[in-house]
Amino acid sequence: MTVQYTPMSNLPYPQPADPADLPAHLKALAEALDHRTVLRFADAAARDAKVTAPIAGMLAWVGSPGRLMYYTGAEWVPAAPTPVYKINLTSGTTTSTTFVETLSTGDPVTVSFLAPASGQLLVTVGGYLWSSVANNASVMSAIIRNSSGTVSLAASDNRAALVNSVSRASVSSQFLVTGLTPGATYSATPAYRSGATSNTASFDSRFIRVDPIP
């Protein structure tokens, strides 16, 4: 069979002089189209078991957690990264002068996400903050961890919302995170601290939002 290919998608098609073997011609076309469609798999493990040699630009729907992915040539990453957001309306306090993730009441506010192809994202944390002692800080930052629980980016005053007043104030802080592994799973959790053990730092309606940068 003399193979000819379409100029745009490089798909094979038979020539007039080729044997009239319709099954063979359809098989060649189907195999050429197979990796160009949106593939469907139950999860990432099933995808990786089936697609052992992915090609840049391939698309795959992963049923769990329900996400369209594409292959960059190095990693599978979300085709359309979307923000994730979580809020805890329960008020809580701490007197710890080092960052903690759990306050006196309420659970940690953790979100999970896949790093985009750029390996970059914007994290926003905030809420209502106030202190029991004037001129003492109530500070809210965030911790980024990989899927094994290792800290990729620690909480820091340089990436924090803070209030130095006994008056309740609505504040937030946004910071850039870089150097994440594209396609890898991470989590982000707010962390809190007080400026002094004599000060009770209070936090209410605390939230975190992660915006992947494509």
Side-chain angles (χ1 to χ4, degrees):
M1 183 172 68
T2 304
V3 180
Q4 294 293 323
Y5 297 93
T6 57
M8 299 296 292
S9 297
N10 207 36
L11 301 176
Y13 60 92
Q15 298 299 292
D18 289 338
D21 190 345
L22 183 59
H25 297 319
L26 289 177
K27 179 176 182 291
L29 179 59
E31 290 177 344
L33 287 170
D34 195 29
H35 68 276
R36 299 174 186 271
T37 60
V38 178
L39 308 173
R40 296 168 177 82
F41 302 99
D43 51 34
R47 178 200 64 203
D48 295 341
K50 189 73 172 180
V51 187
T52 56
I55 300 169
M58 289 182 78
L59 290 169
W61 172 262
V62 181
S64 178
R67 186 175 284 118
L68 184 65
M69 311 283 288
Y70 80 94
Y71 192 69
T72 65
E75 305 284 351
W76 287 99
V77 300
T82 56
V84 291
Y85 172 85
K86 191 171 183 180
I87 188 170
N88 190 328
L89 299 176
T90 304
S91 177
T93 63
T94 185
T95 57
S96 173
T97 56
T98 58
F99 281 106
V100 295
E101 297 170 68
T102 302
L103 298 175
S104 59
T105 58
D107 297 324
V109 188
T110 299
V111 293
S112 296
F113 57 92
L114 292 181
S118 67
Q120 301 182 77
L121 46 94
L122 288 173
V123 176
T124 308
V125 294
Y128 291 109
L129 280 62
W130 68 99
S131 300
S132 65
V133 179
N135 299 317
N136 271 269
S138 296
V139 187
M140 181 179 180
S141 184
I143 300 172
I144 310 298
R145 290 186 174 86
N146 63 21
S147 58
S148 65
T150 302
V151 173
S152 301
L153 186 69
S156 169
D157 288 356
N158 294 327
R159 297 181 292 273
L162 63 89
V163 166
N164 284 312
S165 172
V166 296
S167 298
R168 173 180 162 124
S170 176
V171 294
S172 65
S173 176
Q174 186 176 76
F175 57 89
L176 177 68
V177 179
T178 63
L180 302 182
T181 301
T185 300
Y186 291 86
S187 66
T189 306
Y192 319 87
R193 77 171 189 86
S194 171
T197 55
S198 58
N199 172 58
T200 300
S202 297
F203 307 84
D204 193 8
S205 300
R206 44 210 163 89
F207 72 87
I208 185 166
R209 174 173 170 143
V210 174
D211 289 85
I213 300 175

